[in-house]
Amino acid sequence: MRSERLNVPVGVSGQFSAEISLQLFHRMSRVRYFEAGIVDAINKKELSYPVYLSSGPEALAAAPSLLLEDCQIFAQHRAHDLYLCIGGSPERLRDELLGRESGTSQGRAGSNCLQYHGNGINMYGHHGLIGENVPQGVGAALGNKKQTLCVFGDGSAEEDYLPPSLGFAATHKLPILFVCVDNDLSILTPTEVRRNWSIRAVAESFGLPAVDLADDPWALLQAGQGLIGQQPALLNCRVCRSYWHVGAGDDGAPEWDRLQLVRNELKALGLESQAAETEIMAQHEMEIVWDRKLLLKR
Ligand SMILES: [Mg+2]
């Protein structure tokens, strides 16, 4: 059944070039296959501590990565996708996850505190207190006035320090794109039993332009282009994860699989063969990274 949460504008993909469409798909595919390597490592007991997988919502990393260059990023605890999409080294991330000295934090931070500074990346690590990366990002933007991306989840939106951060950014007209990764769950509790308000309405009450839409990458690009010119601004994006909150388990097939939906859309755009080549390229890259055959869960 097609979820109401999945609704997106019709025909947006046709407004972008084939090159952009394939770039989006390539970035999404790289994340999905990289994390297939993590899942395999977990299943083989090579990785035995909590990991926060990004598979499912990859479009929400791929689209902003095409829009924001030279950006300081304050990510949440689930950030493999963002790191890879902004040009982070998959080998370095693999090594971090495996506890190696050659990892992004010398193997001492792991999955949920992903950070890296160098090679054009300026990504601050999450320290575990949910949503606190948002006021930190606001403070950084106040100090240095750099383009900033703050990412948080729909559960984090309920932390008492988060809404005032949006208001402070609005007061000081800071160059921040706030992104809420909205999977309608705080771990396992649906939004409707947690609150009767939306983060979009909160942002708009402070005067921030805000958009609420599902994770269609073309729609995200279109919406993001509009919001970036009016910062600070909020993008609330409805997503569906492939795996549990923590780890590689699942509760059955996800409500939707955005990667598959994008494959279908690329076929409709006449880009089926190019998309297949693009996906194989991403698969081969990550098979070399993990030194194993990688297959996606279908
Ligand atoms: Mg959530």
Side-chain angles (χ1 to χ4, degrees), residues 57-256:
E58 303 97 340
L60 188 48
S65 74
L66 285 179
L67 291 170
L68 297 171
E69 293 182 358
D70 194 20
C71 174
Q72 56 185 357
I73 296 173
F74 289 79
Q76 58 164 347
H77 54 284
R78 192 182 312 280
H80 301 162
D81 52 355
L82 201 49
Y83 171 79
L84 291 171
C85 284
I86 60 174
S89 157
E91 292 85 0
R92 197 173 279 122
L93 177 54
R94 172 204 61 200
D95 291 352
E96 181 63 29
L97 296 171
L98 295 175
R100 296 173 180 166
E101 188 69 26
S102 48
T104 47
S105 295
Q106 294 74 54
R108 293 168 192 156
S111 173
N112 66 338
C113 303
L114 182 53
Q115 63 177 338
Y116 190 72
H117 299 273
N119 303 327
I121 298 172
N122 194 12
M123 184 168 174
Y124 291 85
H126 191 261
H127 59 57
L129 192 54
I130 294 300
E132 206 184 54
N133 55 306
V134 174
Q136 289 172 352
V138 170
L142 178 69
N144 60 26
K145 302 294 188 289
K146 288 184 178 175
Q147 173 64 56
T148 302
L149 175 66
C150 288
V151 182
F152 59 97
D154 59 295
S156 310
E158 294 153 25
E159 298 294 343
D160 55 7
Y161 37 78
L162 202 141
S165 301
L166 304 183
F168 190 88
T171 300
H172 293 273
K173 299 181 172 53
L174 301 177
I176 306 176
L177 180 64
F178 297 99
V179 170
C180 181
V181 187
D182 180 359
N183 73 332
D184 198 31
L185 292 172
S186 179
I187 303 184
L188 288 174
T189 307
T191 307
E192 66 177 2
V193 300
R194 302 184 339 245
R195 53 176 151 102
N196 62 355
W197 50 271
S198 72
I199 193 64
R200 175 185 182 176
V202 170
E204 289 177 337
S205 75
F206 287 124
L208 272 70
V211 169
D212 178 12
L213 79 174
D215 60 343
D216 176 275
W218 295 278
L220 288 173
L221 266 186
Q222 186 184 59
Q225 285 170 341
L227 291 174
I228 285 170
Q230 311 173 70
Q231 295 178 99
L234 171 83
L235 174 62
N236 187 81
C237 182
R238 285 164 277 145
V239 303
C240 184
R241 278 207 303 269
S242 302
Y243 298 99
W244 280 339
H245 179 71
V246 185
D250 63 65
D251 288 317
E255 192 175 4
W256 70 82

Side-chain angles (χ1 to χ4, degrees), residues 14-29:
Q15 299 173 29
F16 291 90
S17 67
E19 182 186 0
I20 292 290
S21 296
L22 291 168
Q23 273 191 46
L24 284 168
F25 184 58
H26 184 229
R27 292 180 191 208
M28 293 173 65
S29 299

Side-chain angles (χ1 to χ4, degrees), residues 2 4-12 213-216 219 238 258:
R2 191 175 173 85
E4 286 182 10
R5 284 168 39 76
L6 185 53
N7 285 344
V8 293
V10 175
V12 179
L213 79 174
D215 60 343
D216 176 275
R238 285 164 277 145
R258 179 57 65 183

